[in-house]
Amino acid sequence: MTDTLHLTHLIDGERVDGARAGESHNPSDTNDIVALTPDGGDAEVNAAVAAARAAFPAWSEASPEVRADVLDKAGTLVMERREQLGRLLSREEGKTLPEGIGETVRAGRILKYFAGEALRLHGQNLPSVRPGVEVQTYRQAVGVYGLITPWNFPIAIPAWKAAPALAFGNTVVMKPAGLTPATAAALADILVEAGLPKGVFNLVIGRGGVGQALVDHKDVAGISFTGSQGVGMGVLQGAAGRQARVQLEMGGKNPLIVLDDADIERAVMVALDGSYFATGQRCTASSRLIVTDGIHDRFVAALADKVAALRVGNALDPNTQIGPAVSEAQMETSYKYIQIAREDGGRLVTGGDRPQLDTPGWYVQPTLIADTAPSMRINTEEVFGPVASTIRVKDYEEALHVANDTEFGLAAGIVTTSLKHARDFQRRARAGMTMVNLPTAGVDYHVPFGGTKSSSYGAREQGFAAFEFYTQTKTSYSWS
Ligand code: UN1
């Protein structure tokens, strides 16, 4: 597939063009231009927000069945086109084709889940403290949401932000990641095809200025952002400064503890998946492998064998297990941290070199670094690539201490056959999500997603928790 798409904004139901200022490239083959894009700015954001605002009264007052039907149909279309959309996603982002198709199916499932949630929105009915008075609470739509989405899940994250926003009666202006606009544009087309009224969902493609314009716009009631911590802090300040709702999902430095009593095959599989699959480009990826003394050497050796055997290559090649990094900058970040880790005294066990492949792409050899200390930069800063480091500890208590000793707190995992340690870990791990004998990455869509400390801010995303951010409570008193 080498055709180049010509993307447009979607504003008030119209495809709006602009100067072809941007491009997205195939990270597996940098000669392949996936899409040419317009570069939106204040004018496009203003028009999109005005359209979303105008569409809000009818959409929020429509029967929830109307909203459910659109989301359900969009979910069906996404699932029917899983091959085509998954291929576009893998071509543009670089995750392997099974990962791209898997993510597409997940997006379809999310749309369908929130179709049901549209009908389940509910409040409470309480007796008042005053005799004869009744109190009710309602959950109501808020208004226009600005959704700023990342490149690493180019269809699932747009779906998991847009679906609850729309299900509960809000309207949306989305800014997709600059590196992966084509996948988001395909989702926008499907929402239109599924019957979404004009103005309810708008897409403005562009650079950071589009996100900033959304954050600053007085008619945008809430911002949901997934991305880096640096950008997230700017979003928070901008949104808080004008009392907009804000929800941030940012980095992780997720620990995976492996205890002496672990099933070693399970431990290796869990670490391999969590650290390397999707090229390590998941905010839930395991990057600090914290291993107790008794199993340490066996675990490192067994994991190294598997890591060395991973086939790196073109995301669309069926033999590939690890696709490229999304961009040159992301690839260089991995190599930079590998070098820093070695300079700081880490031992390179496998990887570290640049794979030589036939097609020019942003490839990183999956890398394992052992004998690192918790305070080294490789263990405190997010790499976001197929790179993991091991830390040797004497027992569970030390492992837990090291796991929690981080500014982040998204996901945390443990591999153990001890019920006692598993239960203790679930209670004491300072992370929003804990995983026992499972990879830190890879989550369900019908339960809350989010972290603690610097990883997240605001209400949880996804599942039955999503209504908190995308609705507001009204308390109604009556006497009769
Ligand atoms: C997953 O682990 O399945 O950006 C999802 C990210 C997260 C999503 C992870 N917000 O990587």
Side-chain angles (χ1 to χ4, degrees), residues 27 75-77 165 181 194 224 233 241 270 282 293 307 338 420 461 480:
T76 300
L77 292 171
S224 180
M233 285 305 104
V270 163
R282 297 184 283 191
D293 243 344
V307 174
I338 293 167
K420 176 169 161 259
E461 293 198 272
S480 52

Side-chain angles (χ1 to χ4, degrees), residues 106 150 152-153 157 160 226 281-284 384 441-443 449:
R106 177 169 168 176
N152 67 332
F153 283 89
I157 292 182
W160 92 40
T226 299
Q281 297 181 138
R282 297 184 283 191
C283 58
T284 44
F384 225 67
V443 300
F449 176 96

Side-chain angles (χ1 to χ4, degrees), residues 168-309:
F168 302 135
N170 305 286
T171 56
V172 166
V173 180
M174 181 181 287
K175 179 220 171 277
L179 290 166
T180 54
T183 318
L187 178 66
D189 286 346
I190 283 177
L191 286 168
V192 171
E193 190 180 335
L196 208 60
K198 72 185 180 78
V200 172
F201 179 91
N202 305 271
L203 186 78
V204 179
I205 298 171
R207 286 174 256 201
V210 172
Q212 193 63 48
L214 279 172
V215 168
D216 292 340
H217 201 297
K218 67 175 180 25
D219 292 331
V220 174
I223 298 280
S224 180
F225 166 86
T226 299
S228 71
Q229 228 208 334
V231 177
M233 285 305 104
V235 170
L236 176 59
Q237 277 164 12
R242 59 178 189 81
Q243 286 186 279
R245 297 172 154 235
V246 61
Q247 173 185 64
L248 310 173
E249 290 298 344
M250 301 169 291
K253 197 68 207 169
N254 308 298
L256 176 73
I257 295 175
V258 178
L259 294 185
D260 285 355
D261 60 29
D263 171 333
I264 189 145
E265 273 178 38
R266 184 86 199 164
V268 168
M269 186 277 281
V270 163
L272 195 72
D273 177 329
S275 301
Y276 299 100
F277 289 3
T279 320
Q281 297 181 138
R282 297 184 283 191
C283 58
T284 44
S286 320
S287 55
R288 297 181 295 138
L289 308 176
I290 303 165
V291 190
T292 48
D293 243 344
I295 197 171
H296 178 277
D297 294 354
R298 277 186 298 137
F299 171 77
V300 171
L303 179 60
D305 282 350
K306 293 277 188 214
V307 174

Side-chain angles (χ1 to χ4, degrees), residues 153-462:
F153 283 89
I155 193 162
I157 292 182
W160 92 40
K161 291 185 192 298
L166 298 172
F168 302 135
N170 305 286
T171 56
V172 166
V173 180
M174 181 181 287
K175 179 220 171 277
L179 290 166
T180 54
T183 318
L187 178 66
D189 286 346
I190 283 177
L191 286 168
V192 171
E193 190 180 335
L196 208 60
K198 72 185 180 78
V200 172
F201 179 91
N202 305 271
L203 186 78
V204 179
I205 298 171
R207 286 174 256 201
V210 172
Q212 193 63 48
L214 279 172
V215 168
D216 292 340
H217 201 297
K218 67 175 180 25
D219 292 331
V220 174
I223 298 280
S224 180
F225 166 86
T226 299
S228 71
Q229 228 208 334
V231 177
M233 285 305 104
V235 170
L236 176 59
Q237 277 164 12
R242 59 178 189 81
Q243 286 186 279
R245 297 172 154 235
V246 61
Q247 173 185 64
L248 310 173
E249 290 298 344
M250 301 169 291
K253 197 68 207 169
N254 308 298
L256 176 73
I257 295 175
V258 178
L259 294 185
D260 285 355
D261 60 29
D263 171 333
I264 189 145
E265 273 178 38
R266 184 86 199 164
V268 168
M269 186 277 281
V270 163
L272 195 72
D273 177 329
S275 301
Y276 299 100
F277 289 3
T279 320
Q281 297 181 138
R282 297 184 283 191
C283 58
T284 44
S286 320
S287 55
R288 297 181 295 138
L289 308 176
I290 303 165
V291 190
T292 48
D293 243 344
I295 197 171
H296 178 277
D297 294 354
R298 277 186 298 137
F299 171 77
V300 171
L303 179 60
D305 282 350
K306 293 277 188 214
V307 174
L310 288 170
R311 290 186 301 276
V312 179
N314 190 315
L316 300 176
D317 179 338
N319 287 318
T320 295
Q321 292 174 293
I322 304 291
V326 73
S327 65
E328 183 173 20
Q330 213 57 49
M331 174 185 78
E332 290 303 342
T333 300
S334 284
Y335 288 120
K336 181 183 92 178
Y337 276 101
I338 293 167
Q339 194 184 339
I340 290 171
R342 296 180 74 179
E343 285 167 7
D344 287 349
R347 173 169 61 90
L348 183 72
V349 184
T350 182
D353 44 350
R354 293 176 191 247
Q356 301 304 317
L357 296 164
D358 296 341
T359 46
W362 312 129
Y363 298 101
V364 179
Q365 192 65 41
T367 300
L368 181 65
I369 299 161
D371 304 337
T372 66
S375 59
M376 288 180 185
R377 285 180 68 190
I378 190 70
N379 287 322
T380 57
E381 297 172 23
E382 194 173 33
V383 180
F384 225 67
V387 180
S389 45
T390 60
I391 301 168
R392 186 195 286 264
V393 290
K394 64 176 186 308
D395 57 16
Y396 169 71
E397 282 302 326
E398 188 186 354
L400 183 68
H401 173 78
V402 170
N404 283 340
D405 190 14
T406 165
E407 64 168 298
F408 296 108
L410 188 57
I414 190 167
V415 188
T416 180
T417 52
S418 154
L419 180 62
K420 176 169 161 259
H421 286 138
R423 297 291 295 147
D424 186 76
F425 179 77
Q426 288 175 320
R427 278 189 293 270
R428 290 166 68 204
R430 296 188 63 207
M433 297 174 288
T434 62
M435 310 289 185
V436 174
N437 296 323
L438 289 169
T440 52
V443 300
D444 288 1
Y445 54 82
H446 61 309
V447 289
F449 176 96
T452 60
K453 299 192 270 182
S454 300
S455 290
S456 303
Y457 182 89
R460 287 282 185 263
E461 293 198 272
Q462 293 219 82

